[in-house]
Amino acid sequence: MENTIKVTIIDREGALHDLEGPTDMNLNIMEICKMHELPVEGICGGMALCASCQVYLESETPLPEQSDAEQGMLDEAFHVKDNSRLGCQIRLTQEIDGIILRLAP
Ligand code: FES
C-alpha cells in the first residue's frame, strides 16, 4: 500500500516481527511497537526523556541525525552501542521502509 511501510522488529528473544505501519499518522517506532504489543515501555511518551524505547539499527537504513535531546539521553542510558537510537525519535516515513531494529535489553 502507498501509505504503509514494512518495519521488522527483533525482540529480546531473537524472534522477528514483521509489522506494517502507516506513514500518514505521524507515528514513531515506539508507538507502532506498543500497538503490536511488543515489550517497549516508552515511559516518557516519546519525549526523548527516558530511553526505555532504545533500539539498535540492524539495517543500512539512513536515518536522520540524532537530535541533541536524543544524543543526550543515549549518553546516559544503559546498553548503548554505536547503532543505538531512541525508537520514539524514529518517525514512520517512506524513507525507512524495510528498516530492521532490535529491541535493547
Ligand atoms: Fe522515552 Fe523514547 S519513549 S525516550
Side-chain angles (χ1 to χ4, degrees), residues 58-75:
E58 302 265 321
S59 53
E60 300 293 314
T61 313
L63 289 179
E65 293 280 308
Q66 295 180 354
S67 65
D68 289 347
E70 179 175 6
Q71 229 165 52
M73 201 56 242
L74 284 172
D75 279 348

Side-chain angles (χ1 to χ4, degrees), residues 25-96:
M25 288 176 62
N26 205 23
L27 290 175
N28 62 53
I29 292 289
M30 178 273 285
E31 291 166 330
I32 193 92
C33 285
K34 289 184 90 150
M35 282 164 68
H36 288 85
E37 299 187 348
L38 288 169
V40 173
E41 286 170 351
I43 296 168
C44 76
M47 307 281 288
L49 288 175
C50 73
S52 69
C53 63
Q54 187 189 164
V55 291
Y56 304 123
L57 177 63
E58 302 265 321
S59 53
E60 300 293 314
T61 313
L63 289 179
E65 293 280 308
Q66 295 180 354
S67 65
D68 289 347
E70 179 175 6
Q71 229 165 52
M73 201 56 242
L74 284 172
D75 279 348
E76 293 170 24
F78 296 107
H79 310 292
V80 175
K81 302 187 197 174
D82 289 346
N83 59 347
S84 287
R85 298 297 296 246
L86 295 179
C88 69
Q89 302 302 301
I90 305 177
R91 299 244 148 254
L92 296 194
T93 61
Q94 225 34 260
E95 286 75 51
I96 69 159

